[in-house]
Amino acid sequence: MSKTDYEEYVDVQVDTLIKKLEMFKIYERKFKSLDGILKNLEVRKKEFSDPKSPSFEQRLDSKKNMDITNDVLVKFISKEKVLEDDKNLILGKMREAETIIDLIPNDDVRLYMKRHYINGESFEKLSGEKYCSRMKMYYAMKKELKKLVMGDLSK
């Protein structure tokens, strides 16, 4: 029996939601990495612009060096802005995944989805606790996502 266009549409939407959930841990690692880079950049920017640094007076000795100093500071600030924008975009994608899970009507499935997609626990561990197969656990999650896509938010 072939699926209707609507059923195909729902399946594609569910698969899209699953991909977004699966990306959470990758986004989390990128977010932490960008945070570290931004902190490092901030330290370097402060060191570079610190009047007490030995090279600061040398850089201000001539107009040319002062222009170079200003150019470097502008580059620091520009790079910082780009990294902040990237960090905010990633944070938004992480929040989207959390929201998808928060909208799941079944409390048990929602908890297991948080533990798997947000906390990174394996299907093996979760299915062992629930005394069911990994596939049954996966399909229960997929079924709840399908309800979400179809607008059926009843438990």
Side-chain angles (χ1 to χ4, degrees), residues 30-31 34-35 38 82-92:
K30 283 184 180 181
F31 184 84
L34 284 174
D35 199 42
L38 277 165
V82 168
L83 291 171
E84 281 290 341
D85 289 347
D86 289 349
K87 189 176 158 187
N88 288 333
L89 179 66
I90 289 170
L91 184 62

Side-chain angles (χ1 to χ4, degrees), residues 10 19 21 26 28 31 34 37 43 50 60-61 80 82 106 120 129 133:
V10 169
K19 293 290 182 217
L21 294 172
I26 294 168
E28 187 177 52
F31 184 84
L34 284 174
I37 292 169
V43 167
D50 183 9
L60 294 181
D61 278 348
E80 194 174 45
V82 168
N106 184 303
E129 289 177 12
S133 70

Side-chain angles (χ1 to χ4, degrees), residues 120-134:
E121 295 180 36
S122 71
F123 275 123
E124 288 83 7
K125 179 180 179 185
L126 297 175
S127 61
E129 289 177 12
K130 190 91 168 146
Y131 302 107
C132 66
S133 70
R134 290 177 299 158

Side-chain angles (χ1 to χ4, degrees), residues 13-44:
Q13 293 302 312
V14 168
D15 290 343
T16 301
L17 292 177
I18 289 170
K19 293 290 182 217
K20 287 179 179 185
L21 294 172
E22 289 172 344
M23 292 297 294
F24 183 87
K25 294 309 274 180
I26 294 168
Y27 290 140
E28 187 177 52
R29 284 191 298 274
K30 283 184 180 181
F31 184 84
K32 288 178 182 176
S33 173
L34 284 174
D35 199 42
I37 292 169
L38 277 165
K39 287 177 183 172
N40 185 325
L41 188 63
E42 184 64 32
V43 167
R44 290 179 54 210

Side-chain angles (χ1 to χ4, degrees), residues 22-78:
E22 289 172 344
M23 292 297 294
F24 183 87
K25 294 309 274 180
I26 294 168
Y27 290 140
E28 187 177 52
R29 284 191 298 274
K30 283 184 180 181
F31 184 84
K32 288 178 182 176
S33 173
L34 284 174
D35 199 42
I37 292 169
L38 277 165
K39 287 177 183 172
N40 185 325
L41 188 63
E42 184 64 32
V43 167
R44 290 179 54 210
K45 187 173 78 174
K46 283 181 182 175
E47 288 172 356
F48 188 81
S49 62
D50 183 9
K52 296 176 185 166
S53 89
S55 62
F56 187 78
E57 284 186 30
Q58 293 170 353
R59 288 194 305 268
L60 294 181
D61 278 348
S62 72
K63 171 84 171 110
K64 180 181 176 187
N65 286 342
M66 191 171 196
D67 289 343
I68 292 171
T69 299
N70 288 337
D71 287 347
V72 170
L73 287 174
V74 166
K75 286 180 183 177
F76 273 136
I77 292 167
S78 297

